[in-house]
């Protein structure tokens, strides 16, 4: 991959080559509204549902649903990571199947098994899809999706779970507004001097990214952002707990002011850069971890940058952190001349 060139981030001809990926990022809020508009009637129809014995979620973002529901869900909740279902699942349980693409063989098998066991099923999938077909039963509710966006689908599912009195309130409109705010601030038409995502991409240009979020939702956003950074850069971007990141930071040698990147090679100056995802969590363990990480970085001259989202509801803050990180990864890829930023 080529060396990072920040002039590419404001070059309209270069940006035009990445228009599809940037447009998909910018249209996240529109997809949220579209999915909500198409699914709201069926979601409101779930308000009178009986409470299940337990909830089992499978598919993309099942762990995000768990992160949101765990503090308040009145029944046991399981994010099932494997094909099939736990042996105890039966007619008293609710199986959530998140299949925004609609053709995953593992989810098709899980849908068949849930139907065979008589479990109640709520599924997000295209109305005409293999997984919707195999999940069909008298106890199945299909929440139709049309955009293929897992983030939009999971927000709609969380709204449905609130109607079923299993989760907290979810304002899809405010979450979509949060995504739009990030898209406006990080637009490719906002130049580097005023664009927070382009600025952070430049900070990561020659760095080994470390990503940390203190709250459960910020940590989940961090894992997604790190995955995007790995994809566009080919570097081992790491998202982990503060304890694990501390070990990486403390093993870093202090910066050598006399190092010559031309003589020592392009990898010689690739030092860690810590990106903190701050959603305003003020719990004592989070504030202590932030202070410890910053102190350790200062001691060995490791740069720290912060992505902040301190307003609105928890899920809106999550989406703001996630989208800012995704725009940053996209601009890092553009600066490095990546073939794709999807």
């Amino acid at each position: 991959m080529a060396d990072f060139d920040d002039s590419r981030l404001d070059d309209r001809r270069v940006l035009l080559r990445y228009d599809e990926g940037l447009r998909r990022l910018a249209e996240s809020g529109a997809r949220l509204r579209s999915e909500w508009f198409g699914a709201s009637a069926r979601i409101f129809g779930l308000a009178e549902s009986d409470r299940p014995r337990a909830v089992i979620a499978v598919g993309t973002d099942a762990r995000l649903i768990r992160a949101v529901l765990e503090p308040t869900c009145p029944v046991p909740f399981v994010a099932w990571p494997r094909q099939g279902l736990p042996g105890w699942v039966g007619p008293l349980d609710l199986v959530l199947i998140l299949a925004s693409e609609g053709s995953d063989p593992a989810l098709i098998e899980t849908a068949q098994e849930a139907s065979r066991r008589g479990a109640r099923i709520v599924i997000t999938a295209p109305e005409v899809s293999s997984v919707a077909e195999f999940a069909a039963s008298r106890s199945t509710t299909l929440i139709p999706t049309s955009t293929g966006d897992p983030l939009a689908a999971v927000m709609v599912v969380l709204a449905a779970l609130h109607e079923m009195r299993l989760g907290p309130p979810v304002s899809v409109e405010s979450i979509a507004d949060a995504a739009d705010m990030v898209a406006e601030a990080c637009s490719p038409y906002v130049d580097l001097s005023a664009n927070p995502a382009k600025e952070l991409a430049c900070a990561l240009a020659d760095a080994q990214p470390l990503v940390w979020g203190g709250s459960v939702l910020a940590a989940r956003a961090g894992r997604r952002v790190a995955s995007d950074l790995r994809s566009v850069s080919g570097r081992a971007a790491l998202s982990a707990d503060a304890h694990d990141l501390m070990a990486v930071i403390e093993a870093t040698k202090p910066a050598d002011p006399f190092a010559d990147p031309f003589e020592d090679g392009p990898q010689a100056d690739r030092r860690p850069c810590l990106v903190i995802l701050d959603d305003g969590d003020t719990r004592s363990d989070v504030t202590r971890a932030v202070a410890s990480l910053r102190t350790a970085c200062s001691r060995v001259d490791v740069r720290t940058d912060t992505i902040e989202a301190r307003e609105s509801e928890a899920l809106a803050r999550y989406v703001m952190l996630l989208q800012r990180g995704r725009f940053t990864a996209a601009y890092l890829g553009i600066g490095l001349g990546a073939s794709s930023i999807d």
Side-chain angles (χ1 to χ4, degrees):
M1 192 171 288
D3 291 339
F4 187 86
D5 181 357
D6 61 4
S7 70
R8 294 169 60 85
L9 305 186
D10 287 333
D11 187 324
R12 297 297 174 89
R13 290 172 300 178
V14 171
L15 293 171
L16 188 60
R17 297 205 294 270
Y18 297 93
D19 181 70
E20 183 177 352
L22 290 170
R23 188 179 298 275
R24 183 158 182 82
L25 277 172
E27 291 175 347
S28 179
R31 290 193 297 274
L32 279 162
R33 293 186 184 90
S34 176
E35 298 289 30
W36 172 246
F37 180 79
S40 55
R42 297 193 192 184
I43 288 173
F44 291 137
L46 295 168
E48 302 303 320
S49 303
D50 294 332
R51 180 177 291 178
R53 176 181 63 177
V55 181
I56 304 91
V58 296
T60 306
D61 277 326
R63 291 180 179 175
L64 173 58
I65 294 179
R66 183 182 65 187
V68 176
L69 257 65
E70 270 185 335
T72 59
C73 187
V75 301
F77 183 94
V78 177
W80 191 245
R82 296 184 291 279
Q83 188 168 317
L85 292 168
W88 48 264
V89 173
L92 298 178
D93 304 306
L94 170 64
V95 177
L96 297 175
I97 301 176
L98 296 103
S100 55
E101 294 295 334
S103 58
D104 186 314
L107 294 181
I108 291 173
E109 182 173 326
T110 299
Q112 288 178 298
E113 187 172 343
S115 181
R116 186 169 60 249
R117 295 196 199 181
R120 185 174 177 194
I121 303 170
V122 171
I123 180 171
T124 59
E127 202 147 17
V128 179
S129 62
S130 298
V131 70
E133 178 183 347
F134 284 106
S137 72
R138 287 182 299 176
S139 56
T140 297
T141 300
L142 172 65
I143 299 177
T145 61
S146 58
T147 66
D149 185 345
L151 179 63
V154 79
M155 295 303 164
V156 170
V157 167
L158 286 167
L161 290 167
H162 171 65
E163 291 299 320
M164 299 170 73
R165 304 181 302 282
L166 295 171
V170 176
S171 171
V172 175
E173 186 61 36
S174 68
I175 296 168
D177 287 345
D180 288 345
M181 287 174 59
V182 176
E184 183 177 353
C186 301
S187 165
Y189 301 108
V190 177
D191 66 31
L192 197 158
S193 63
N195 190 316
K198 290 181 180 180
E199 182 180 357
L200 183 53
C202 290
L204 296 174
D206 297 311
Q208 202 72 41
L210 306 177
V211 187
W212 180 80
S215 73
V216 175
L217 286 176
R220 287 223 57 80
R223 283 188 274 275
R224 290 302 177 89
V225 171
S227 175
D228 283 358
L229 291 170
R230 287 193 295 271
S231 177
V232 300
S233 70
R235 301 175 194 167
L238 175 64
S239 174
D241 294 336
H243 178 268
D244 295 323
L245 292 180
M246 189 73 74
V248 176
I249 294 165
E250 290 179 339
T252 304
K253 296 179 180 179
D256 180 1
F258 302 106
D260 185 342
F262 296 100
E263 182 177 327
D264 299 334
Q267 306 296 324
D269 200 38
R270 185 160 295 164
R271 299 175 56 74
C273 176
L274 176 65
V275 179
I276 297 173
L277 304 187
D278 180 4
D279 63 354
D281 192 327
T282 57
R283 291 175 300 157
S284 58
D285 60 327
V286 174
T287 55
R288 284 196 302 269
V290 171
S292 297
L293 287 167
R294 289 188 183 277
T295 299
C297 287
S298 177
R299 192 161 50 242
V300 292
D301 302 315
V302 166
R303 174 172 175 147
T304 63
D305 285 275
T306 302
I307 298 177
E308 289 188 356
R310 291 171 168 263
E311 300 176 2
S312 193
E313 62 178 286
L315 280 171
R317 295 195 297 271
Y318 166 81
V319 167
M320 292 183 78
L321 295 176
L322 177 66
Q323 292 300 103
R324 276 274 304 275
R326 284 178 165 173
F327 268 104
T328 296
Y331 290 128
L332 178 62
I334 292 170
L336 290 170
S339 58
S340 171
I341 57 171
D342 294 336

